[in-house]
Each structure stands twice: as C-alpha cells, then as structure tokens.
Amino acid sequence: MTTSKNIIDVKNITTKVLQAMKDKGIKITMLTAYDYLTAKLLDLAGIDVILIGDSLSNVIQGNETTLPVTLEEMIYHTKIVRRAVKKAFVVADMTFMSYQVGVTEAIINCGRVMKETGCDAVKMEGGAYLAETVRRLVEIGIPVMGHLGLMPQSINKYGSYKTRGEDKEEAEQILKDALILEKAGAFAIVLEKIPASLGKKVTKRLKIPTIGIGAGPYCDGQVLVTHDMLGWVDPDKHAMPRFVRKYMNLSDDMKNAFQRFIKDVRTNKFPSKKESY
Ligand code: KIV
C-alpha cells in the first residue's frame, strides 16, 4: 500500500485500507449502487466503498420506507453489483428484521449474504443492543459496518426523519453506542443526520473510521445515495434533505430525452436513413 497526499494506491480496498485512510487523514468516499452499470462506473471512477443500501426499498422499489425490502432482494442486487466491481469495497445492508431477532439468526442471515453475494462486509443499524451480534460476526470473519444517528429502519419508533443527537442525552447515547460498536469489532460506522459538532466528537473519540451522511465535514468519510447526488429522483417527491449535494439533474435530462424521442418518432424524424438498414 503506497500513499501520497490524498491518494491511496492499492489493488483492492479492504478494511485495513480504510483504517489506514483514517490514520493518514485521507477521506473515504462511499456511494450506493443497486445495479451493474452504476457499480461499474463508480468503481472505474475510483470510489472506495460501494453500498447496496436498503435505500433500495425507496429508490428502486418506490416504497415510502426502507422496511419492506427483503433479504432475498438485497442478495439479488448485491450479486449484480459484485459482478461489476474490481477494486472498491462492497458492503451489503442488512434488511429490517434480518438481524434484530437474535445473534443466531443474524449470523445465519449475514452468513447467507456473504456466501451468496461475495460482498466484503455487511452494514446494520443500531447501538448497544447489537454488541454481541457484532462481536460474534467479526469473530467468525464477517466484517460489520455500524450505522448510528438517524436510523431509517426505526422510522416507526421515532415518527420522523429529523436530526438525531441534538439534545445532550441523545448525543451522549450516540457516542456511547459508537464506542460499544467499536469495542465489539465494527470496522467503521455510518453517522446519519447528526450535528456536525457531534460528528466531530465521535470521529475524534473512535479509532475506526466514521462515514457521515448529513453529519458534517469532520467525519473520516462521506456517503450519499447515488440517485440523490445525480438528481435521479422522483419528481413527485418533496425536496431533498439539505445534506444532499446534487451534481446533476439527471431526472430532468432523462425526461427531456424521452420527450425528444417521442417527438422524433411522431414526426418521422427517427429513424433516419443512416439509422436504417
Ligand atoms: O441505505 C442506504 O443507502 C444507507 C445510506 C444512506 C448510508 O444506509
């Protein structure tokens, strides 16, 4: 592994590489993918981590929450992404109720995901109550990425997607949970929608990397949902959270292309002679 200022030169990203990036102050980049071509382009672009997020439920399946997506569907999409990726570290999200029931069921389900998809690690939402699960998974060779702060699988408990850790008590709990997950063996933790000051505090206190989404600039890395950053979003849905930076307006461009195609066909401009045999 060789490093220069902001670059890490390795053949494959591993948990060790991600740790080295934190230790050397090189920011970790992570984006989501659910299909072959997106995953391939992310990998070619040089992304460090590709997450098959359970946002699959909202983004691809059109559900209101992340709860309905199944383990079978996660396995299906992770296999597709895995096929495309050569260098990036591939993480599969564990779906709602696939790891919460108990340690044994979590091991069976995480084991299935690792074995059937070839992914590099799993991600799960939750704090202290997952300590034993994480410890056992890591012990048997399954790397675990934690997820704290806003945990979309708990939407029915909290009733909203508002910022977490704004009050002292919740902020302390998030820090405590992060330290417990680190001690249990998690190799990294996603921090979602918490104040930047708390993101900074957790990042400083942990030896393992933090990857923020709406958790401010001090985290060791940043993650976004790829569809959000591309502006490939449902035009009927409300505004994006302010932590999303849109790099494109892909939905507008796609709709425009579809309308041009319709017009060209209707006016006999497509296909041309050159496009015919
Ligand atoms: O499901 C997902 O896409 C995620 C990211 C928002 C971190 O968990």
Side-chain angles (χ1 to χ4, degrees), residues 234-264:
D234 184 344
D236 294 333
K237 288 268 153 70
H238 301 295
M240 284 284 128
R242 80 164 193 248
F243 62 71
V244 175
R245 182 175 294 180
K246 268 215 250 170
Y247 287 83
M248 290 179 76
N249 283 304
L250 192 53
S251 283
D252 291 348
D253 289 350
M254 286 174 75
K255 190 171 158 213
N256 187 264
F258 300 151
Q259 286 171 334
R260 282 169 44 218
F261 171 78
I262 292 165
K263 188 167 165 220
D264 285 351

Side-chain angles (χ1 to χ4, degrees), residues 67 96 129 151-160 164 170:
L67 273 61
F96 180 60
Y129 87 96
M151 295 181 281
Q153 289 180 9
S154 301
I155 178 63
N156 294 309
K157 175 174 164 188
Y158 293 106
S160 83
R164 302 278 178 249
E170 202 174 50

